[in-house]
Amino acid sequence: MSEPSKPQGRKFQLPEHLKIYKNVWVIVEQERGIVHSVSLELLGEARKLADKLGVEVGAVVLGAESPDLNRICGDAIGYGADIVYKVTDPALADYRTDPYCRVMTDVVNTHKPEIVLLGATTLGRDLAGAIATTLATGLTADCTELDIYADNRSLAATRPTFGGTLLCTIQTLAYRPQMATVRPRVMAMPERDDARTGRVIEIQPDLREEDIVTKVLNFIADREQNEAQLAFADIIVSAGKGLGKVENMKLVFDLAKVLGAEVGVTRPLVQAGWATNDRQVGQTGKTVRPKLYIAAGISGAIQHRVGMEKSDLILAINTDPNATIFDFAHLGLVGDALKILPALTDAFGRRLSVNRMAG
Amino acid sequence: MHIVVCIKQVPDSAQIRIHPVTNTIMRQGVPAIINPFDLFSLEEALRLKDKVGARVTVLTMGPPMAETSLRKALSLGADDAVLLTDRKFAGSDTLATSYALTSAIQKLAEEDPVDIVFCGKQTVDGDTAQVGPGIATRLGFEQLTYITKIEDLNTASKEIVVQRRSEGGVQVLKTKLPCMITMLEGTNTIRFGKMDDLFRAARYELKTWSRDFTGAEEGRVGLKGSPTVVSKVFVPKPRAEKAKMIVADADTSEAMAAAAIDAIFAAQPKLAGDLLARAAAGL
Amino acid sequence: MVEKFDAIVIGAGPSGNAATYTLAKQGLKVLQLERGEYPGAKNVQGGIMYAHELEKIIPDFRDDCPTERHIIEQRVWLLGDDNYVGTNYRSEAFNSDKPNRYTIIRANIDKWWGEQIRKVGGLQICETTVTELIRDASGKVIGVRTDREGGEILADVVIMADGVNALLAKRAGLQDEAAPENVALAVKEILFIDPELIQQRFGIKEDEGVVIEIMGKVTKGMVGTAFLYTNKESLTIGIGCLISDFKNGDCPPYRMLEDLKNHPVIKPLIEGAEMKEYAAHMIPEGGYKAVPQLYGDGWMVVGDAAHFNNAAHREGSNLAMASGRMAAETVIELKAAGKGFTASNLAAYKKKLDDSFIMKDLKKYRELPGIMHGNKQFFGAYPDEITAAAHNWFTVDSIDKKTKEKQIMKSFIKRRSVMGLVGDAIKLVRAVR
């Protein structure tokens, strides 16, 4: 991906009353005591932006008072926050648009951050769309790169458009705060620094449950479902049309089993009914960032590429030496995936079992 | 029950190409379609109509050619269609768009109060997923995004129970009308319109509304009403280095697999350790 | 309630559009049904439009019709393995106010047709497939049934413009299955390229276009031709051969097209272009002898569905438009005269066709498809010999011209015997006389 190396934004002067907006915020997404990893990735990104601007990083943690919430506040500081706004109320226990939106609007209006970042998740996008409206400010969705225009300190938010075929950089004019949601697994996960210190500002909003129309009746966790957990897999073996027929998917699952990997697929395979859409990697599927991504029989269309190109190591297997995927894979193997997949399964199996005997 | 479904006409992104020379989007010959995500919401609205009886109005903001998409929605069974079109709307970002659409929905509600607004989860050309929440917030409607199922709708008590996709699972939410719903993709399949509806759609006299008509303030739509601007559009740069091609000792799958594993472990020594440790632990 | 129309036209290609427009313009209640998602969704015509026929239907079409380039130069090339022999005709006369031929992109043109039809009050409904013809007890066609719920629609007359497969007529037993030697399969690509490069490489100005018709070794001895057209910002390149030949041969169409694109005389023309779309299409090539029954009680068939295609001159869309117009005019005349749409009254349509260039031209070339099919030397040995002869003739090597002539003649005879050559010549002369 390219960087706006010499940032050149729209030239404009920020009105005086907006200059008091300072600091870069991350709204930390937590549900049931679990922090979404994108929030930690964003703290790392917010740190970089704040350092460029010479300001502080704020983390907003919302929820019902609990030990988990305190742990999360500590984590936020460890991952880069200088200030944690800990917003607690029993009505914030589960995510609901209305109370979250009301509270966030107040907190932003009170503390006036210049940038507010959220993960481009179902929660982040739901909330961001609402508060950008109440704050009447600009919001850029699903970003893959963030930077600062040095000349006027404004946020340069870059995002894919038209199915990933183009990138565009979006700037918010004379409105504050500047808001963006950022795609998970695109920004690098920062290292936790236990030595970091920060301050926690406790906020208790005035919420009354009877004023909130929407009630959460139940929560069915995915762990109870049999869905693929692609987004967080360390190793993914993915299949494309090059596999020829649905029966050959077994070869991919066999290799994945030996490696303890998840299986991914391209969109055409989901459309052909070879796999369920929870396994789809790409623009309209999941964005993944595993340590190893093995792409078997995948040509490398842009729609797939945007979902996996940030993987640490990509091995592509394709019969066509001119396949696009070799343009951005790290390792390439020209050959028939149908033959190489079983050979890889065997070879990995042997190497790993030898070690077990030795160990 | 009055249901408004907001749709957008978009170029079929599967057929979009970037001009190799000028790096611009080539719209030539690219067919315009209803944003695919909108169809899941339209279908859900039509199902509610079938189930509890409702009037379904489709609304779009766009150039006059967006008429095609409205007629398509009518042919699928929508009762009425409104085209919100005005040069003043050109260049609207999501904030200005949700404002303009809200002004039209309020106009519709003057005649017939609106109980549910459906929007697409996001568009395929903008991918922002912001207009729906924007409309809900402006109208003060309960906001229900990423809905996978409408479990129950009670028209007497005006209560609705839905399943909503969230990151770690599915929320079951109960709320009251009026509300704004965006459906998750794959939750239903758009129907095949009846012959009668096709004739009705082809002959329907479209309502075309301007900014003046809905009373949207001039300064809050179009470029003037948009906080964001696109400062740069560019093609993703290819990775500087192409893949390192793995060469095996022999032309056999075994030799290629061995060479591939060596190359993987050479590039990611830590990964080798992790895998071996995991294997040793018997996982 | 079942809808009833004066006429139903099935298909939104050139013939169906011409028929629908002509009927609607005369104030008839006409319905056009198209199975594609939008007009042009299902077709992939190579892209030449003939102004003369369109002018008869829409005289001022040039005002807003989205054509690509008007053609000022026609090239005919015979390709050898790495060479070609060819003729070019270029004239400034083609740069008149009203050019005669244009390259087009069908998706754009068909959309434009749809607008014209709506303007004159025609009703065009897409994404609707006619599954069968409805007939009354006497067998007269009185309407159509579509694939939609409540899909019965009635009409006084049904005009079938549903393309080369003519599925409806076949299903209704009005037409036989087309023989594989009467249908060609063409594959084509649209290649995007900088207009500046097009203008440079073909020596033309902004709106000017070139058409290259190609025969020779690229069809691997099969009966077929290839073509290259210049559009505004793209090139259309394609190749087509008879289905019967593809069936026997072992070179699939896409491979043939790849070979054409890599041919040393073609490659430099398309260098740097990017493929935008690939499509395959069938073309009726059987000519006069393949033309089926064209009308019956309550129905007519027009365009490709009637096998109206002049393979020798690569004309199809003008025959399509003309036949569509004639069918519509027949309906208008019968209606004005208060006559019914019986087979005997609709014979007037056949009469119009017979009196026009359509049947006259098809008749003139009636033997050509058979000769081409039975005499593969036209697509194998001849391209070799002719290009070799040209090479010999134009190579300056101190051999006297008389000896060269002898060498060339000897080579031809070796490959195809004197009697063979004479026979071929006679066949060809007869076929095109």
Side-chain angles (χ1 to χ4, degrees):
Chain A
M1 291 290 209
S2 80
E3 261 178 63
S5 50
K6 276 184 195 156
Q8 267 189 334
R10 184 75 66 94
K11 295 260 192 302
F12 68 94
Q13 273 302 313
L14 202 60
E16 258 341 281
H17 73 280
L18 292 179
K19 284 187 181 162
I20 52 171
Y21 281 79
K22 277 229 159 24
N23 295 345
V24 181
W25 280 17
V26 175
I27 299 181
V28 174
E29 180 175 330
Q30 71 87 20
E31 281 188 281
R32 288 153 199 266
I34 299 163
V35 174
H36 196 293
S37 60
V38 70
S39 301
L40 306 178
E41 294 159 18
L42 282 181
L43 284 168
E45 199 61 22
R47 186 73 262 161
K48 291 182 209 159
L49 298 176
D51 290 346
K52 280 185 196 169
L53 290 164
V55 297
E56 290 187 307
V57 172
V60 188
V61 178
L62 303 101
E65 185 66 69
S66 74
D68 277 337
L69 211 65
N70 290 327
R71 171 182 49 79
I72 292 166
C73 292
D75 283 347
I77 292 169
Y79 280 98
D82 302 303
I83 317 166
V84 175
Y85 300 90
K86 182 185 161 199
V87 189
T88 51
D89 190 288
L92 298 174
D94 281 298
Y95 174 71
R96 285 173 292 175
T97 315
D98 178 35
Y100 269 62
C101 175
R102 271 196 265 164
V103 166
M104 273 316 303
T105 306
D106 282 349
V107 177
V108 167
N109 281 334
T110 309
H111 297 274
K112 301 195 179 355
E114 59 191 304
I115 293 173
V116 176
L117 304 176
L118 299 93
T121 59
T122 55
L123 189 160
R125 294 180 88 160
D126 183 278
L127 180 59
I131 57 182
T133 311
T134 55
L135 296 169
T137 191
L139 166 60
T140 306
D142 210 20
C143 300
T144 51
E145 278 178 57
L146 299 173
D147 203 347
I148 299 293
Y149 285 126
D151 47 356
N152 59 12
R153 290 173 60 94
S154 65
L155 179 70
T158 298
R159 60 187 306 271
T161 183
F162 280 108
T165 42
L166 282 181
L167 293 172
C168 62
T169 304
I170 290 175
Q171 189 183 0
T172 295
L173 299 171
Y175 298 79
R176 288 295 179 270
Q178 307 162 84
M179 294 183 58
T181 61
V182 177
R183 189 175 288 195
R185 314 286 284 180
V186 170
M187 303 300 180
M189 176 67 79
E191 294 278 325
R192 193 183 198 285
D193 180 359
D194 295 332
R196 278 190 55 83
T197 55
R199 48 195 200 281
V200 177
I201 295 174
E202 305 244 4
I203 299 169
Q204 267 114 31
D206 183 23
L207 289 174
R208 278 182 308 180
E209 184 59 42
E210 58 268 29
D211 291 343
I212 301 165
V213 179
T214 300
K215 309 291 176 195
V216 179
L217 299 186
N218 195 6
F219 185 85
I220 309 157
D222 283 341
R223 267 158 289 157
E224 293 152 30
Q225 309 272 318
N226 197 19
E227 292 221 348
Q229 299 298 312
L230 265 190
F232 303 101
D234 277 338
I235 304 177
I236 294 173
V237 186
S238 267
K241 267 275 163 158
L243 252 65
K245 51 182 180 182
V246 63
E247 288 75 22
N248 293 331
M249 286 297 293
K250 183 177 180 298
L251 307 177
V252 180
F253 278 97
D254 287 348
L255 177 57
K257 195 174 171 198
V258 169
L259 292 171
E262 279 286 357
V263 170
V265 293
T266 58
R267 185 175 157 90
L269 264 56
V270 174
Q271 285 170 331
W274 294 14
T276 45
N277 63 359
D278 53 316
R279 294 202 182 277
Q280 185 187 324
V281 174
Q283 175 72 8
T284 50
K286 301 229 168 34
T287 301
V288 297
R289 198 170 180 161
K291 290 175 180 152
L292 173 62
Y293 190 94
I294 300 177
I298 293 175
S299 61
I302 185 76
Q303 288 79 1
H304 185 71
R305 175 182 168 175
V306 295
M308 46 67 84
E309 66 181 338
K310 294 280 174 96
S311 304
D312 291 350
L313 184 68
I314 300 168
L315 165 68
I317 307 168
N318 203 300
T319 46
D320 177 6
N322 298 319
T324 322
I325 193 149
F326 293 127
D327 292 346
F328 57 92
H330 302 93
L331 296 171
L333 191 54
V334 177
D336 184 357
L338 300 183
K339 295 200 180 96
I340 293 171
L341 283 172
L344 276 173
T345 307
D346 278 356
F348 267 120
R350 257 197 320 278
R351 289 207 199 188
L352 299 176
S353 67
V354 165
N355 181 270
R356 182 154 27 179
M357 275 152 49
Chain B
M1 282 275 286
H2 186 193
I3 301 174
V4 175
V5 183
C6 298
I7 64 170
K8 184 181 182 188
Q9 180 160 305
V10 298
D12 189 349
S13 71
Q15 299 193 37
I16 285 204
R17 296 288 182 279
I18 305 302
H19 198 290
V21 183
T22 58
N23 276 345
T24 50
I25 297 168
M26 299 192 300
R27 289 167 190 269
Q28 182 194 46
V30 177
I33 55 172
I34 296 181
N35 172 41
F37 291 110
D38 298 346
L39 294 176
F40 300 107
S41 286
L42 177 59
E43 174 60 27
E44 207 61 31
L46 294 171
R47 285 183 185 187
L48 290 181
K49 174 185 166 177
D50 293 344
K51 213 159 128 191
V52 301
R55 173 177 164 221
V56 175
T57 303
V58 280
L59 167 66
T60 195
M61 179 172 113
M65 64 175 256
E67 175 187 341
T68 322
S69 288
L70 288 176
R71 289 201 191 279
K72 167 94 192 190
L74 289 165
S75 79
L76 295 167
D79 299 286
D80 281 299
V82 174
L83 173 63
L84 185 59
T85 188
D86 198 313
R87 279 167 192 274
K88 295 263 162 54
F89 293 140
S92 293
D93 72 357
T94 55
L95 193 78
T97 301
S98 71
Y99 172 73
L101 286 170
T102 300
S103 74
I105 295 168
Q106 283 164 337
K107 196 83 195 165
L108 282 167
E110 282 174 15
E111 270 175 48
D112 187 1
V114 176
D115 301 286
I116 304 178
V117 173
F118 275 98
C119 291
K121 186 192 89 173
Q122 64 198 62
T123 59
V124 293
D125 62 343
D127 280 316
T128 69
Q130 285 164 198
V131 172
I135 290 171
T137 306
R138 290 176 191 284
L139 290 170
F141 282 23
E142 291 304 310
Q143 178 171 322
L144 304 170
T145 56
Y146 305 100
I147 300 306
T148 53
K149 192 181 176 190
I150 295 179
E151 281 188 4
D152 189 38
L153 171 64
N154 186 327
T155 48
S157 65
K158 301 240 167 190
E159 281 179 331
I160 186 167
V161 179
V162 298
Q163 293 188 6
R164 173 179 185 271
R165 166 107 310 250
S166 77
E167 289 301 314
V170 173
Q171 281 184 322
V172 182
L173 299 174
K174 179 179 183 174
T175 193
K176 287 206 151 198
L177 305 184
C179 65
M180 190 287 307
I181 297 175
T182 72
M183 295 300 297
L184 198 67
E185 64 274 20
T187 45
N188 58 39
T189 310
I190 190 71
R191 63 192 55 200
F192 194 54
K194 296 175 190 162
M195 203 67 234
D196 286 353
D197 286 326
L198 267 96
F199 282 125
R200 190 174 51 80
R203 292 167 178 153
Y204 182 85
E205 206 160 314
L206 220 58
K207 297 184 177 80
T208 303
W209 291 0
S210 65
R211 184 194 59 81
D212 265 348
F213 185 81
T214 67
E217 291 168 37
E218 193 172 344
R220 296 177 71 183
V221 298
L223 284 172
K224 273 189 203 164
S226 300
T228 59
V229 288
V230 175
S231 51
K232 187 167 122 185
V233 178
F234 54 106
V235 177
K237 265 192 214 147
R239 203 190 292 259
E241 280 173 62
K242 295 198 170 193
K244 193 176 133 219
M245 300 313 276
I246 297 167
V247 185
D249 303 338
D251 196 20
T252 65
S253 305
E254 289 70 30
M256 285 193 204
I261 295 173
D262 288 342
I264 290 169
F265 287 168
Q268 288 276 54
K270 202 160 160 263
L271 182 71
D274 290 352
L275 270 176
L276 290 167
R278 187 150 57 171
L283 291 173
Chain C
M1 192 196 77
V2 178
E3 296 257 357
K4 174 141 192 286
F5 292 84
D6 290 330
I8 291 174
V9 177
I10 303 160
S15 62
N17 288 336
T20 310
Y21 182 89
T22 307
L23 288 166
K25 200 168 181 214
Q26 284 301 312
L28 271 74
K29 190 181 173 196
V30 55
L31 170 68
Q32 183 179 34
L33 292 167
E34 162 62 34
R35 75 191 165 104
E37 206 182 331
Y38 49 90
K42 293 277 178 194
N43 66 54
V44 287
Q45 186 207 32
I48 303 281
M49 191 175 71
Y50 304 89
H52 186 70
E53 256 319 311
L54 182 54
E55 252 172 347
K56 283 190 181 164
I57 301 161
I58 305 182
D60 51 359
F61 79 91
R62 289 183 182 86
D63 291 352
D64 56 359
C65 184
T67 53
E68 295 287 308
R69 293 168 182 269
H70 65 270
I71 299 161
I72 63 151
E73 179 173 337
Q74 167 93 39
R75 302 179 187 174
V76 181
W77 287 4
L78 187 65
L79 290 197
D81 288 322
D82 57 0
N83 50 10
Y84 80 90
V85 173
T87 63
N88 301 350
Y89 179 70
R90 176 176 175 134
S91 169
E92 270 307 306
F94 289 133
N95 267 331
S96 74
D97 296 347
K98 296 191 168 175
N100 176 255
R101 293 190 303 164
Y102 295 87
T103 54
I104 54 161
I105 288 176
R106 270 287 290 277
N108 299 340
I109 294 291
D110 289 1
K111 197 175 147 211
W112 172 83
W113 261 116
E115 288 157 15
Q116 307 313 306
I117 285 166
R118 276 191 294 279
K119 266 190 219 165
V120 293
L123 188 62
Q124 189 182 55
I125 286 185
C126 295
E127 268 186 288
T128 302
T129 304
V130 174
T131 51
E132 62 178 332
L133 301 173
I134 303 175
R135 306 211 213 191
D136 67 10
S138 73
K140 181 178 187 295
V141 173
I142 54 165
V144 301
R145 193 165 284 122
T146 69
D147 59 345
R148 294 192 179 262
E149 193 185 321
E152 266 185 35
I153 314 165
L154 301 180
D156 291 334
V157 62
V158 174
I159 298 174
M160 286 175 270
D162 55 341
V164 57
N165 289 324
L167 287 175
L168 270 177
K170 276 172 201 151
R171 211 172 288 151
L174 306 173
Q175 234 185 72
D176 294 331
E177 202 63 48
E181 62 270 21
N182 284 342
V183 180
L185 176 67
V187 290
K188 75 156 192 182
E189 284 179 7
I190 290 190
L191 305 170
F192 268 108
I193 186 166
D194 186 355
E196 289 287 329
L197 280 179
I198 298 179
Q199 277 128 240
Q200 236 169 49
R201 287 179 189 173
F202 292 86
I204 46 179
K205 292 202 276 286
E206 220 169 295
D207 292 329
E208 298 173 345
V210 171
V211 163
I212 309 179
E213 302 289 356
I214 299 158
M215 287 178 75
K217 292 297 285 286
V218 283
T219 59
K220 326 266 176 199
M222 300 184 203
V223 178
T225 57
F227 52 87
L228 177 65
Y229 305 145
T230 56
N231 306 319
K232 270 208 171 71
E233 297 190 332
S234 60
L235 300 170
T236 302
I237 185 167
I239 191 162
C241 290
L242 292 181
I243 301 259
S244 51
D245 282 357
F246 277 128
K247 264 189 182 164
N248 307 332
D250 49 10
C251 183
Y254 63 86
R255 174 76 44 76
M256 210 178 258
L257 182 55
E258 270 316 299
D259 290 352
L260 173 67
K261 285 166 68 184
N262 283 312
H263 191 283
V265 305
I266 301 293
K267 202 175 177 182
L269 295 174
I270 62 172
E271 198 110 61
E274 190 196 28
M275 198 208 346
K276 193 218 165 198
E277 63 180 54
Y278 171 90
H281 183 50
M282 305 233 270
I283 302 169
E285 301 246 320
Y288 187 77
K289 293 184 175 177
V291 171
Q293 177 62 33
L294 295 168
Y295 61 93
D297 277 335
W299 63 272
M300 283 177 280
V301 54
V302 298
D304 274 6
H307 274 246
F308 291 148
N309 182 52
N310 182 345
H313 287 256
R314 305 197 54 81
E315 291 174 27
S317 64
N318 59 331
L319 280 71
M321 285 189 284
S323 63
R325 173 177 55 80
M326 289 173 199
E329 285 167 358
T330 308
V331 171
I332 292 162
E333 285 158 16
L334 290 177
K335 197 170 158 66
K339 290 184 184 167
F341 298 102
T342 59
S344 57
N345 286 340
L346 288 173
Y349 166 53
K350 176 73 171 25
K351 176 87 172 45
K352 283 181 199 288
L353 292 165
D354 285 338
D355 292 345
S356 75
F357 74 99
I358 297 180
M359 292 311 256
K360 284 179 184 164
D361 282 357
L362 287 178
K363 204 165 179 180
K364 172 172 154 73
Y365 295 111
R366 68 190 177 279
E367 302 299 342
L368 195 60
I371 291 170
M372 288 300 168
H373 192 64
N375 300 271
K376 295 296 168 56
Q377 61 275 18
F378 287 112
F379 300 90
Y382 282 151
D384 266 352
E385 290 305 322
I386 292 168
T387 51
H391 192 80
N392 189 341
W393 192 250
F394 293 116
T395 304
V396 176
D397 52 7
S398 309
I399 297 173
D400 66 278
K401 300 300 184 237
K402 185 132 195 178
T403 308
K404 282 198 181 219
E405 278 176 18
K406 278 184 186 157
Q407 282 174 343
I408 290 167
M409 215 41 224
K410 216 165 144 190
S411 176
F412 267 91
I413 290 165
K414 196 171 148 206
R415 196 72 183 261
R416 180 83 193 126
S417 82
V418 177
M419 284 317 287
L421 284 173
V422 173
D424 288 345
I426 293 171
K427 283 179 210 160
L428 264 186
V429 167
R430 277 201 186 137
V432 302
R433 186 175 50 194

